[in-house]
Amino acid sequence: MNKKNDEKKIILNRMYSGSYLETENQNIGFEIINLVKDDNNKNYIYILPYGTIAKEHDNKIDSILLVRYCGSGVMEILAKATDLEQIAFNKTTINKDSRNYIDENNITYNGVKLYDIFEKNVFADTTVYITFKAGSVKKPKQPLYIVDKMYKHNDKYSSYKLEDVRFANQSPKTYISNQANKKSFDVLQGLISDKKLWGQNTQKLKINKKDAAENKSFISIIQKENDELVFSNLFKYIFESNMNAFRKFAADVLKINLDDNISIKREQHCSFNNVNGFIDLFINDSTNTVVIENKIKSGINGVSSRHDIYGEEIQSQLACYKGYVEKEFSQKKKHFFIFAPNYNHIDIKKFKDNDFYKIINYKTLYNWFIKNKKEYKNVKYFDEFLMAIKKHASETENNHEEVMRQRFISTINNIKSNKQR
């Protein structure tokens, strides 16, 4: 018996990755079809990056997990695709063959042929639009994560650990073999087979007017959605726009009672133990000093030249801020916070003085501002501010998914509208 012939593989197909959507044109990620059925209630899967798989994997793919990158060593599972039929095209006529396949099977989404939807995409004339037909594509009932062998934390993400696989940061797909990666294959096979984990099948595309509009903030238009300086400036502006509301924010979110004598500074210079730093938001009243470090995608930085590389704790900007405040504002109550998106899994335990800092996630911030929106009804740009922080208030960075879906729907509507003229 040829053992190689018994090999089975699971593909981790990484969705919404790369810079494909960040270009100035209107590219739509070809993988958008993976999570919606066509008009005939059929499931089709596009494997990144080019819709093809190497010959060595032909007829060995047992199932596919559609995943999204959540950070180093962590993937969120968006859906499982099973009962697969690999669609083979002639490599010399691959684009023509895939278009013929679409015609023969009448593959349309809201009445528009698949290749027409992607007509203006880069590579539309050379790509394969479909890699597999799937009998079933199901989404998890609850958020579901897998981690690789390099992931060291014991948290909610580590329920399904792949002990003999490492996720490549840039790779759009990973093959898990029952021979080369048996431990990981068995973990994933058990996960895929566990009916308790899986909910509804994917549905056909439904379009309403709200979906059709690409809802962009000014911050997204100028491509500053991940700029920490911009967000820190926004927080200062919003906080100062209504000081009564800010005192309520401090009481509800920071658990601090501030008086009327409030000052809010940006980029407050500080120096301690030969480390220089700039505090993002530095807030004072008569009796309190508040340090807020705002992080979007970055981690803690600023290792001191005095750091003992053999010690357990790292000297960082956190220790610098604390030392400075304790020295210069010794008579006041001192409070230290880190604002960070939910998907930025900052681990501060290894840093000196970490126990003085509390991480407040953007979801908490967003929910508070939504609840107290009436306090800012006359504040210019408040709605823009809400849109900007909402992007960072989810467990995963899903902006590419939202942009892709909006472009997909908008393109379909435009094609149908042009045909009716």
Side-chain angles (χ1 to χ4, degrees):
M1 180 183 292
N2 187 344
K3 188 177 181 181
K4 206 68 178 174
N5 291 337
D6 296 331
E7 188 175 22
K8 292 182 179 180
K9 298 181 181 182
I10 297 170
I11 295 180
L12 305 182
N13 193 35
R14 181 173 163 183
M15 309 265 286
Y16 319 126
S17 60
S19 59
Y20 194 68
L21 293 175
E22 297 171 1
T23 55
E24 293 182 1
N25 57 39
Q26 288 297 301
N27 283 329
I28 308 166
F30 292 101
E31 72 267 30
I32 185 66
I33 67 168
N34 293 351
L35 293 175
V36 291
K37 289 182 175 179
D38 78 339
D39 293 336
N40 297 314
N41 224 31
K42 304 294 183 183
N43 298 290
Y44 295 97
I45 303 294
Y46 175 88
I47 296 295
L48 289 109
Y50 304 116
T52 59
I53 62 174
K55 189 175 181 179
E56 63 190 270
H57 307 299
D58 280 350
N59 303 312
K60 294 178 182 177
I61 308 304
D62 185 69
S63 51
I64 299 166
L65 289 176
L66 306 174
V67 300
R68 170 168 45 203
Y69 178 77
C70 294
S72 182
V74 185
M75 296 283 187
E76 180 187 10
I77 298 176
L78 303 177
K80 67 170 182 176
T82 56
D83 188 17
L84 301 175
E85 175 190 332
Q86 184 177 340
I87 302 167
F89 299 119
N90 187 318
K91 288 190 176 182
T92 59
T93 57
I94 200 166
N95 182 258
K96 181 181 178 181
D97 287 356
S98 63
R99 286 170 177 258
N100 288 339
Y101 183 89
I102 291 168
D103 287 336
E104 290 167 4
N105 292 275
N106 193 31
I107 301 174
T108 61
Y109 293 83
N110 212 249
V112 180
K113 285 283 178 67
L114 184 58
Y115 52 71
D116 287 334
I117 297 172
F118 294 120
E119 182 182 15
K120 294 183 180 179
N121 267 27
V122 176
F123 309 126
D125 293 334
T126 58
T127 194
V128 177
Y129 296 95
I130 295 168
T131 320
F132 290 92
K133 183 178 179 181
S136 172
V137 178
K138 285 183 178 287
K139 298 180 180 180
K141 290 181 180 178
Q142 302 293 335
L144 196 56
Y145 302 90
I146 52 177
V147 300
D148 68 10
K149 65 180 182 180
M150 302 303 292
Y151 194 74
K152 302 300 183 185
H153 310 299
N154 184 19
D155 55 20
K156 65 179 180 180
Y157 302 106
S158 55
S159 296
Y160 299 96
K161 186 164 187 175
L162 309 186
E163 298 285 358
D164 50 6
V165 169
R166 182 174 183 180
F167 303 147
N169 287 344
Q170 301 301 321
S171 177
K173 61 177 173 280
T174 303
Y175 295 95
I176 312 295
S177 165
N178 65 342
Q179 295 176 9
N181 322 100
K182 188 177 187 320
K183 289 182 180 179
S184 296
F185 185 91
D186 289 346
V187 168
L188 294 181
Q189 196 75 308
L191 182 154
I192 290 168
S193 302
D194 190 345
K195 294 181 180 180
K196 298 190 298 295
L197 298 176
W198 303 98
Q200 65 177 3
N201 292 299
T202 52
Q203 304 296 312
K204 290 195 290 187
L205 183 68
K206 295 180 181 179
I207 298 178
N208 56 48
K209 291 182 179 179
K210 185 178 178 180
D211 285 333
E214 189 165 352
N215 196 19
K216 282 189 174 182
S217 69
F218 181 74
I219 303 301
S220 67
I221 291 171
I222 62 174
Q223 297 185 5
K224 292 292 183 180
E225 293 175 292
N226 300 315
D227 192 311
E228 291 171 359
L229 295 178
V230 167
F231 275 80
S232 295
N233 288 333
L234 279 171
F235 281 124
K236 181 178 187 293
Y237 167 73
I238 294 297
F239 289 160
E240 290 182 332
S241 69
N242 185 335
M243 280 300 194
N244 288 329
F246 176 62
R247 278 190 289 274
K248 187 174 189 301
F249 171 87
D252 293 346
V253 178
L254 307 182
K255 309 302 180 186
I256 305 169
N257 293 317
L258 298 175
D259 60 29
D260 293 339
N261 189 28
I262 299 172
S263 70
I264 304 174
K265 294 182 179 180
R266 279 278 292 114
E267 294 292 312
Q268 171 68 36
H269 177 260
C270 63
S271 180
F272 184 75
N273 275 2
N274 294 330
V275 176
N276 288 296
F278 292 89
I279 299 171
D280 288 339
L281 291 162
F282 190 57
I283 301 165
N284 281 277
D285 73 350
S286 301
T287 59
N288 296 280
T289 291
V290 182
V291 170
I292 296 176
E293 180 67 8
N294 181 42
K295 297 293 185 184
I296 300 293
K297 290 189 174 181
S298 64
I300 306 303
N301 55 36
V303 177
S304 166
S305 59
R306 294 169 58 91
H307 168 52
D308 175 8
I309 62 172
Y310 300 105
E312 292 183 357
E313 292 185 319
I314 299 174
Q315 300 282 349
S316 72
Q317 59 190 133
L318 303 185
C320 172
Y321 302 158
K322 176 179 174 291
Y324 167 76
V325 168
E326 287 185 335
K327 180 181 177 182
E328 302 295 333
F329 300 84
S330 58
Q331 301 303 312
K332 291 188 176 183
K333 298 176 183 176
K334 290 160 275 293
H335 314 272
F336 303 89
F337 301 95
I338 298 171
F339 288 180
N342 293 49
Y343 61 78
N344 187 354
H345 311 296
I346 296 176
D347 182 7
I348 63 173
K349 293 178 183 177
K350 61 185 177 181
F351 295 101
K352 188 178 185 337
D353 293 328
N354 69 80
D355 51 336
F356 289 89
Y357 285 82
K358 179 181 179 182
I359 296 177
I360 297 180
N361 290 325
Y362 266 57
K363 185 174 183 179
T364 299
L365 303 176
Y366 177 74
N367 287 344
W368 188 89
F369 283 111
I370 286 291
K371 184 179 178 180
N372 294 275
K373 190 174 181 179
K374 64 182 180 180
E375 301 283 354
Y376 299 93
K377 62 182 179 181
N378 296 319
V379 175
K380 202 171 184 180
Y381 307 122
F382 180 71
D383 288 340
E384 294 279 323
F385 168 74
L386 274 184
M387 289 173 65
I389 63 172
K390 182 181 180 182
K391 174 186 184 299
H392 302 293
S394 62
E395 289 296 325
T396 55
E397 187 186 8
N398 63 358
N399 185 55
H400 278 178
E401 177 182 1
E402 292 173 1
V403 170
M404 188 184 297
R405 178 177 172 81
Q406 287 166 348
R407 289 183 184 176
F408 188 61
I409 290 171
S410 178
T411 300
I412 290 172
N413 282 344
N414 289 339
I415 292 172
K416 294 175 74 172
S417 178
N418 289 336
K419 285 181 178 179
Q420 292 171 0
R421 289 177 184 173

